[in-house]
Amino acid sequence: MADQLLDQVRDAVDGQIDFEGQKLAELLATAVLAIVGGVSFLVGFFLQDIALALKIGLGGTALAFLLIVPPWPFFNQHPVKWLPVGGEPAITSAQQNIVIDEKLFTK
């Protein structure tokens, strides 16, 4: 029973993101943390309340965590098409033509 529960949790959190999704996640993390940090500083400075500034910063960090860590579908909009394992080489030895000094060599 514990193995079934663990498999369900793995399926829920195991997700793929592509390279463009990684770039987007990094951009989101930087933007959200910078904006929340600025807002937190300004609110804390003008209200002279360090506890409120820390709570705003912690809430923003939690928001960034929820936006970035789960593998949301918008992080995998450009999946990479990998070559099949053990597939045929793209160029067989009969197809290789090498040109050196305008002379054609067939391999």
Side-chain angles (χ1 to χ4, degrees):
M1 177 158 168
D3 289 334
Q4 292 173 348
L5 182 61
L6 186 59
D7 287 338
Q8 289 175 351
V9 170
R10 276 192 198 130
D11 289 340
V13 293
D14 183 35
Q16 301 294 323
I17 66 172
D18 54 28
F19 296 117
E20 294 296 322
Q22 289 177 0
K23 187 189 321 182
L24 178 62
E26 182 180 354
L27 180 68
L28 274 174
T30 303
V32 168
L33 291 175
I35 290 169
V36 166
V39 168
S40 173
F41 174 76
L42 291 174
V43 167
F45 181 75
F46 287 118
L47 296 180
Q48 292 295 305
D49 190 357
I50 188 74
L52 181 60
L54 291 174
K55 289 175 186 174
I56 292 171
L58 184 61
T61 303
L63 175 69
F65 180 84
L66 290 175
L67 279 175
I68 295 158
V69 172
W72 299 109
F74 61 87
F75 286 138
N76 196 19
Q77 291 183 353
H78 309 290
V80 177
K81 306 268 191 275
W82 298 103
L83 293 176
V85 176
E88 300 263 339
I91 299 175
T92 62
S93 60
Q95 295 173 333
Q96 291 180 359
N97 295 324
I98 301 170
V99 176
I100 299 175
D101 294 330
E102 299 178 6
K103 295 179 185 173
L104 179 65
F105 296 95
T106 305
K107 206 174 190 187

